[in-house]
Amino acid sequence: MRQSQAFIPTLREVPADAEVKSHQLLLRAGFIRQSTSGVYTFLPLGQRVLQKVEAIIREEMNRIGAMELLMPALQPAELWQQSGRWYSYGPELMRLKDRHERDFALGPTHEEMITAIVRDEVKTYKRLPLVLYQIQTKFRDEKRPRFGLLRGREFIMKDAYSFHTSKESLDETYNNMYEAYANIFRRCGLNFRAVIADSGAIGGKDTHEFMVLSDIGEDTIAYSDASDYAANIEMAPVVATYEKRNEPPAELKKVATPGQKTIAEVASYLQVASEHCIKSLLFHVDGRYVLVLVRGDHEANEVKVKNVLDATVVRLATPEETRQVMNAPVGSLGPIGVKEEVKVIADHAIAAIVNGVCGANEEGYHYTGVNPGRDFPVSQYADLRFVQEGDPAPDGKGTIRFARGIEVGHVFKLGTKYSEAMNAVYLDENGQAQTMIMGCYGIGVSRLVAAIAEQFADEHGLVWPVSVAPFHVHLLTANAKSDEQRALAEEWYDKLGQAGFDVLYDDRPERAGVKFADSDLIGIPLRVTVGKRAGEGVVEVKVRKTGESFDVPVADLIETVRRLLQG
Ligand code: ATP
Ligand code: MG
């Protein structure tokens, strides 16, 4: 493509509202433009990268026998009412009405739609398993759209769904998907980790997230420094054991702690270590209240609380609810003398506390000499806290370290959540009706483009991996006024194209400095400059990633380009 005729609006200035590198560079280099918050146009260069990423995804999906289809974004509310998510999805679901006042949603995901299709068309075990996927536009009215393509309100997702007659069949497809996802992210050149995840609102049990490692990631990954173990911090189990301190039990005393609310304040006021304090948090759990106890130097993990109680919706109680239920403000809560209807559960570390400190359920007072069991009952001890760096890794190898990650993919074993709610059944070998077992598998395709840009950039601009680069070669002349240079460039523009390379030819009448800066910004893997040595038939080839450059006789150009693109 000739740059003089292309639509590549580059910017010299960093756009003010773009906080992260990938967002800034994709805007500056002319890959995307924002239309409104969280909604973007893919300009021609962005569209080319998107298409390359999509081609990799299609190849890997087709390889494992998944079949592509395309479902509508506009979905009737009835489908969402059948699954119940019309009521539970919340404000992220974009809802609208048609001219007849009928309710619709713009699909944030397609479990309902695909389950309805397969339910209506597949009646016998002979047609299962079935694995279907699409690459399609999703809508989510995110609370905080940000970082450009990384968290949009309209974005492109590859979503796949599988239907099975047995758990074993689901396991097989899940493993195939897992491998296909690893291949996709590897082929995009990414440094990523597959981590054990929480299944969240979508339901189901077994699930992994694929995380691209990046400091700007919103998720924290807990990984072992000595093995492959990696989990979302929400899920990483704590395997630490705790020793009781060697001290005779003291008398329980109520002491005044005027104005001291946080653990740090109370610990410093009473001159005790925060690990001897008990942090008490009131949670609202599926309509009941539960008091959760963790050690003062630990953080309670809501996902673990949810899983331990086998609950659906867990949140911290509001200050008003807390006053009502505990008769005390949030900063003074404690487990002593709690009403019977409030269940008390505690992290394992609490069992080892000797002569600890806790709130007295009375403003401005705490207890000292607190001994769990003796002074209050605990209905269940469990792993309820977040892991911390330095904890032993759950697989017994090494210690836990933290890294940040951008979630680019997610694989779930859904089980029968949707098939049951929407009555997706088939007849088995004995003519008995059985509920289909399902899996679902998503890749944030547009987010993936930004994640690649985030990992592959330097101070001059983007540095695309060959597999997803918008073009392979950026060809340009150093002196736009030189007929000799232009003639050689024109000749090799044709020849490189005929050899099968995607070439962007900067034929604009610009100064060399402008062209070089734009070229570095756009980040095409190889730059071929036709310059001073054009008369001898020699050009310069520069590798964007390493900055190395070579003078190459044009007779060797195609071979050199081929070799450098492979290496
Ligand atoms: P997140 O925790 O980032 O909100 P999610 O758990 O809501 O993600 P899924 O419902 O599993 O995401 O969607 C599948 C994939 O779609 C995610 O792994 C992610 O890559 C992508 N994705 C989700 N939300 C967005 C968004 N707002 N913008 C771009 N991509 C997204
Ligand atoms: Mg989300």
Side-chain angles (χ1 to χ4, degrees):
M1 173 166 295
R2 288 172 189 275
Q3 212 162 328
S4 61
Q5 290 155 24
F7 183 49
I8 307 175
T10 55
L11 306 170
R12 289 281 158 258
E13 301 297 321
V14 178
D17 58 337
E19 297 166 68
V20 298
K21 192 169 53 181
S22 58
H23 189 196
Q24 293 172 354
L25 289 172
L26 290 171
L27 287 167
R28 277 189 58 210
F31 284 69
I32 59 169
R33 280 297 179 268
Q34 180 176 299
S35 147
T36 182
S37 171
V39 181
Y40 289 84
T41 293
F42 281 82
L43 297 172
L45 284 183
Q47 172 70 353
R48 287 183 77 96
V49 174
L50 193 63
Q51 284 175 337
K52 295 225 173 161
V53 170
E54 289 178 357
I56 292 174
I57 293 175
R58 285 196 169 93
E59 263 179 47
E60 296 297 335
M61 286 296 104
N62 297 343
R63 196 202 299 279
I64 60 167
M67 271 171 296
E68 186 169 2
L69 80 173
L70 184 58
M71 291 181 272
L74 189 63
Q75 307 183 3
E78 289 77 47
L79 283 181
W80 289 77
Q81 286 155 358
Q82 284 170 22
S83 74
R85 284 207 290 187
W86 183 256
Y87 314 101
S88 64
Y89 210 97
E92 244 181 60
L93 186 65
M94 294 265 199
R95 300 161 205 254
L96 65 160
K97 286 186 192 294
D98 72 3
R99 63 171 74 204
H100 306 294
E101 292 289 304
R102 280 192 286 254
D103 284 314
F104 286 81
L106 292 177
T109 172
H110 279 63
E111 283 81 11
E112 282 78 1
M113 181 65 72
I114 193 87
T115 305
I117 293 167
V118 173
R119 169 191 66 194
D120 294 345
E121 306 302 329
V122 175
K123 305 289 180 197
T124 154
Y125 71 94
K126 290 178 197 154
R127 301 268 301 277
L128 297 172
L130 189 57
V131 189
L132 299 165
Y133 79 97
Q134 64 175 345
I135 295 178
Q136 190 260 5
T137 302
K138 299 283 184 275
F139 298 84
R140 295 184 184 181
D141 199 354
E142 297 275 356
K143 195 170 177 184
R144 285 189 70 200
R146 58 181 195 149
F147 296 170
L149 301 178
L150 285 174
R151 184 168 297 284
R153 296 197 297 163
E154 173 176 331
F155 60 96
I156 300 168
M157 196 197 286
K158 187 285 301 181
D159 43 330
Y161 306 88
S162 67
F163 296 83
H164 308 269
T165 59
S166 70
K167 285 205 167 62
E168 292 69 34
S169 168
L170 170 61
D171 288 348
E172 195 183 324
T173 297
Y174 185 89
N175 293 340
N176 289 342
M177 277 288 172
Y178 185 104
E179 289 306 322
Y181 274 35
N183 284 339
I184 290 164
F185 301 129
R186 215 175 284 128
R187 287 178 63 183
C188 291
L190 289 161
N191 182 10
F192 69 94
R193 283 265 196 156
V195 309
I196 302 161
D198 175 52
S199 51
I202 233 169
K205 291 268 180 280
D206 231 337
T207 149
H208 287 84
E209 289 165 351
F210 288 80
M211 296 279 187
V212 170
L213 301 186
S214 164
D215 289 342
I216 64 143
E218 294 182 338
D219 292 88
T220 301
I221 304 164
Y223 69 94
S224 161
D225 60 6
S227 75
D228 274 350
Y229 180 86
N232 193 307
I233 187 177
E234 292 175 339
M235 290 300 286
V238 172
V239 296
T241 51
Y242 311 94
E243 301 251 323
K244 285 194 172 190
R245 64 178 158 158
N246 198 3
E247 211 176 81
E251 192 189 334
L252 182 69
K253 270 198 211 141
K254 196 196 258 186
V255 297
T257 49
Q260 314 301 313
K261 292 201 169 69
T262 65
I263 292 284
E265 286 165 359
V266 172
S268 123
Y269 186 82
L270 296 175
Q271 304 260 305
V272 297
S274 59
E275 66 185 72
H276 299 308
C277 297
I278 297 173
K279 202 187 282 183
S280 309
L281 300 159
L282 189 68
F283 281 92
H284 184 267
V285 180
D286 292 344
R288 298 171 295 149
Y289 291 96
V290 176
L291 194 68
V292 173
L293 311 180
V294 296
R295 224 166 67 178
D297 58 332
H298 292 157
E299 293 301 326
N301 180 330
E302 213 169 287
V303 170
K304 289 184 178 177
V305 170
K306 187 189 81 180
N307 290 344
V308 162
L309 296 173
D310 207 7
T312 319
V313 182
V314 170
R315 59 168 174 82
L316 264 183
T318 64
E320 297 75 55
E321 289 171 334
T322 306
R323 274 218 181 261
Q324 230 169 29
V325 176
M326 300 292 287
N327 217 357
V330 172
S332 309
L333 296 188
I336 299 178
V338 172
K339 285 189 219 164
E340 213 165 295
E341 67 251 36
V342 178
K343 185 172 175 166
V344 178
I345 62 173
D347 182 65
H348 291 303
I350 297 295
I353 285 201
V354 174
N355 301 333
V357 170
C358 70
N361 293 321
E362 189 178 335
E363 176 120 41
Y365 288 93
H366 279 75
Y367 283 113
T368 61
V370 177
N371 289 280
R374 185 194 74 177
D375 300 327
F376 60 89
V378 171
S379 71
Q380 190 182 358
Y381 282 102
D383 171 14
L384 298 175
R385 73 162 172 98
F386 280 105
V387 281
Q388 294 177 337
E389 279 191 291
D391 279 338
D395 64 351
K397 294 178 199 144
T399 49
I400 287 290
R401 295 274 166 259
F402 288 170
R404 307 290 290 175
I406 300 170
E407 181 194 321
V408 289
H410 205 165
V411 290
F412 289 100
K413 289 184 188 171
L414 279 174
T416 56
K417 183 179 155 93
Y418 294 93
S419 43
E420 222 166 81
M422 299 181 66
N423 198 30
V425 296
Y426 64 92
L427 296 181
D428 69 11
E429 288 96 326
N430 306 316
Q432 299 287 317
Q434 304 281 359
T435 306
M436 294 181 192
I437 298 173
M438 291 173 59
C440 72
Y441 320 88
I443 291 180
V445 185
S446 43
R447 178 181 286 184
L448 185 54
V449 169
I452 297 169
E454 196 62 42
Q455 251 183 19
F456 297 96
D458 62 18
E459 67 272 27
H460 304 295
L462 296 158
V463 186
W464 294 105
V466 172
S467 59
V468 299
F471 291 91
H472 298 121
V473 175
H474 205 169
L475 175 69
L476 49 87
T477 51
N479 179 358
K481 295 196 183 106
S482 156
D483 291 338
E484 186 177 56
Q485 289 183 18
R486 182 150 15 89
L488 193 65
E490 290 284 342
E491 179 187 343
W492 285 91
Y493 174 52
D494 290 340
K495 286 187 174 157
L496 285 164
Q498 280 155 16
F501 301 112
D502 294 337
V503 184
L504 181 64
Y505 170 30
D506 193 347
D507 58 343
R508 297 172 303 164
E510 295 281 357
R511 285 183 295 113
V514 171
K515 293 189 193 176
F516 289 154
D518 272 351
S519 179
D520 282 347
L521 181 59
I522 292 168
I524 294 167
L526 298 179
R527 187 179 86 197
V528 174
T529 306
V530 179
K532 284 201 192 77
R533 299 184 66 189
E536 306 162 55
V538 173
V539 297
E540 184 205 65
V541 178
K542 185 169 181 200
V543 180
R544 176 67 183 86
K545 191 161 86 184
T546 60
E548 296 166 280
S549 63
F550 320 90
D551 277 354
V552 177
V554 285
D556 299 340
L557 184 58
I558 285 182
E559 213 24 63
T560 306
V561 165
R562 185 164 287 135
R563 180 171 52 77
L564 290 172
L565 287 176
Q566 272 164 9

